Amino acid sequence: GSSCAGRFRAMVMWPCKLALVLGTAVAFQPAQLLPTRLAPTAVLRRNGPWRRGPAPFSRPLQARPGDSETDFEDGGADGGAAEAWPMDGYLTSTDRKTLAAVASVGLLETAFLNANKFGLLGAGSELPNLCLGGTVSCSQVLNGPWSMAFGVPLTIPGMLAYATVIMLALVPFLASDQRDGTGESGVSPIEEWSQNGLAGLTLSMAVFSGYLISVLAFKIKAACGWCFVSASCSLFLAGFTWNRRLPLPTVKVGLSSGAMAVLGAGVIFATTSTQVAIADAQTYLATGGAQMELQAPPAITTHSSDRVMKLVKYLEKSDAKMYGAFWCSHCYDQKQTLGAEAMRSIPYIECAKDGANSQRKLCQEKDIPGYPTWEIDGKYHPGEQTLDELEELIGLKAKAVTPLTTELP
């Protein structure tokens, strides 16, 4: 009920609020985290061979211990001492801001998908159909058995993972008092453990993204645009984090996390495959080996009001049709809004392959973008429509609000 919706709303909103607070705090951070431009060439010797190269424009969040004029030789023309060379393999302030920005895109996308899944955007909201696998819609992909793991939608841990990346990327900016000391590696502990966390988390996210894309390609056999956006963000985060000579402790943490992610993806695949196989076997046994019974839409439980019946007359003159699928919740809500009497007069076209009286071929020929879709005067209007919107589509002025439907006894 409402308490359940409230918990889901809080679950979706707090990572977004966290990202907003962290981003605002970093934007107004008084400390200067990026150094001034360095001399053209700097040479540094630190427990190893000399390294020479063009000086960078960004560096880790603090100067490293032992960085003094005696540690460097100036390769520039001005003869002055060069500034400290950034520690190889450690994220700079610019790197961390880039990671936080890309993770924010993934966070917003997964938060939107969760809000739509749990009805937080309103009953009339419709998820844009970015799935290109024939008549397979995004609702079918994002609400099917492969979108869950042990009863939990995969968009929820995905959203939490993006929020954690933002936190790990920005926490050194906020904990300025923790950047004073340095560990054995020459960087502050907060930079070191946050980078270890980023290496492990981003690699795990990339592994799961690869698993989900494989499921799309070989099991669902659809091309889901929403899934590709999230996978692109995850792969970028991993590639950007690992595209450097990471310190050995960070590599160990990252590879351990990646191995655990591979194991977890294997467990989820085996569990989901077993559940799907059991469901198919139960259906086969229940029908005695006969062809699976076609699915009919849920029964309509409301009566049509006078306003709706007047609207139906104009819809008939406009040769209106409604395209939908038996599993589509928005299609059912649309029918409930109109009522049983109205739906007897409005042609309903079933587009699901396994739906009763399926006309899938017609839906494919007309390239129906999503469910429900209204065809009025030869024009297509995707999404669930209110009575006011339907009246506007056929040229009627919206009437005063009246009871739309009444429950059937």
Side-chain angles (χ1 to χ4, degrees):
S2 59
S3 61
C4 182
R7 288 195 297 270
F8 281 128
R9 185 178 292 108
M11 186 183 301
V12 170
M13 291 304 298
W14 78 258
C16 298
K17 293 180 179 179
L18 174 63
L20 180 61
V21 170
L22 290 175
T24 303
V26 170
F28 292 95
Q29 178 77 2
Q32 180 69 21
L33 299 179
L34 294 177
T36 56
R37 182 169 181 171
L38 308 184
T41 306
V43 182
L44 170 63
R45 182 182 181 89
R46 186 187 303 279
N47 299 326
W50 293 88
R51 295 191 299 269
R52 183 187 300 271
F57 290 89
S58 60
R59 56 189 292 183
L61 301 181
Q62 67 172 73
R64 308 303 173 203
D67 291 344
S68 62
E69 294 184 10
T70 59
D71 292 325
F72 302 94
E73 296 177 5
D74 180 24
D78 57 359
E83 296 190 31
W85 185 275
M87 297 295 291
D88 285 350
Y90 284 93
L91 294 168
T92 67
S93 56
T94 302
D95 294 337
R96 289 176 175 271
K97 291 176 181 178
T98 301
L99 290 173
V102 175
S104 297
V105 175
L107 174 64
L108 291 174
E109 188 223 16
T110 50
F112 171 75
L113 294 178
N114 282 319
N116 184 274
K117 179 185 291 287
F118 298 117
L120 303 183
L121 302 180
S125 63
E126 181 72 14
L127 184 67
N129 187 23
L130 301 183
C131 296
L132 308 176
T135 58
V136 177
S137 71
C138 283
S139 296
Q140 199 169 10
V141 172
L142 297 172
N143 294 290
W146 293 100
S147 68
M148 310 280 286
F150 308 105
V152 178
L154 293 178
T155 48
I156 291 180
M159 180 181 67
L160 297 178
Y162 284 119
T164 305
V165 169
I166 296 173
M167 181 193 71
L168 291 174
L170 300 184
V171 67
F173 290 90
L174 306 179
S176 56
D177 57 329
Q178 300 294 323
R179 297 203 305 270
D180 296 336
T182 58
E184 296 180 358
S185 61
V187 297
S188 63
I190 194 170
E191 291 181 64
E192 189 169 1
W193 67 254
S194 63
Q195 175 159 308
N196 291 348
L198 285 169
L201 180 57
T202 56
L203 184 59
S204 300
M205 294 169 67
V207 168
F208 271 103
S209 293
Y211 158 72
L212 294 175
I213 294 301
S214 299
V215 169
L216 274 176
F218 300 109
K219 287 293 183 179
I220 304 177
K221 298 181 180 179
C224 177
W226 295 105
C227 306
F228 288 150
V229 169
S230 183
S232 298
C233 291
S234 297
L235 293 175
F236 176 88
L237 293 173
F240 190 83
T241 302
W242 284 80
N243 187 28
R244 66 193 73 244
R245 232 164 107 191
L246 294 173
L248 183 59
T250 303
V251 173
K252 290 181 177 179
V253 172
L255 293 181
S256 299
S257 301
M260 293 179 63
V262 171
L263 179 61
V267 171
I268 292 174
F269 178 80
T271 303
T272 307
S273 298
T274 302
Q275 291 173 345
V276 172
I278 291 175
D280 291 342
Q282 290 175 338
T283 302
Y284 180 84
L285 294 175
T287 58
Q291 184 178 3
M292 182 170 34
E293 184 179 355
L294 298 179
Q295 301 290 323
I300 304 172
T301 61
T302 58
H303 279 301
S304 302
S305 67
D306 293 338
R307 176 185 176 186
V308 170
M309 295 309 297
K310 179 180 179 181
L311 172 63
V312 167
K313 295 179 181 179
Y314 286 91
L315 289 173
E316 290 176 334
K317 293 179 181 178
S318 301
D319 195 22
K321 303 179 184 66
M322 176 181 166
Y323 298 85
F326 69 89
W327 46 260
C328 171
S329 60
H330 292 297
C331 300
Y332 179 69
D333 292 339
Q334 182 75 86
K335 295 175 185 178
Q336 288 287 89
T337 298
L338 296 173
E341 293 82 1
M343 289 308 301
R344 294 191 192 106
S345 302
I346 299 174
Y348 170 75
I349 299 174
E350 177 66 50
C351 294
K353 179 180 179 181
D354 52 347
N357 302 316
S358 174
Q359 300 184 56
R360 182 184 183 187
K361 185 176 181 180
L362 176 62
C363 299
Q364 289 178 319
E365 291 174 352
K366 292 183 175 290
D367 196 20
I368 300 301
Y371 311 130
T373 290
W374 283 91
E375 181 182 0
I376 301 176
D377 288 327
K379 297 181 180 179
Y380 297 96
H381 308 277
E384 183 181 348
Q385 309 290 331
T386 65
L387 291 186
D388 287 343
E389 290 170 336
L390 286 173
E391 288 174 339
E392 183 177 352
L393 289 175
I394 60 176
L396 287 176
K397 293 183 178 179
K399 306 297 181 182
V401 177
T402 58
L404 305 181
T405 56
T406 56
E407 289 292 329
L408 290 174

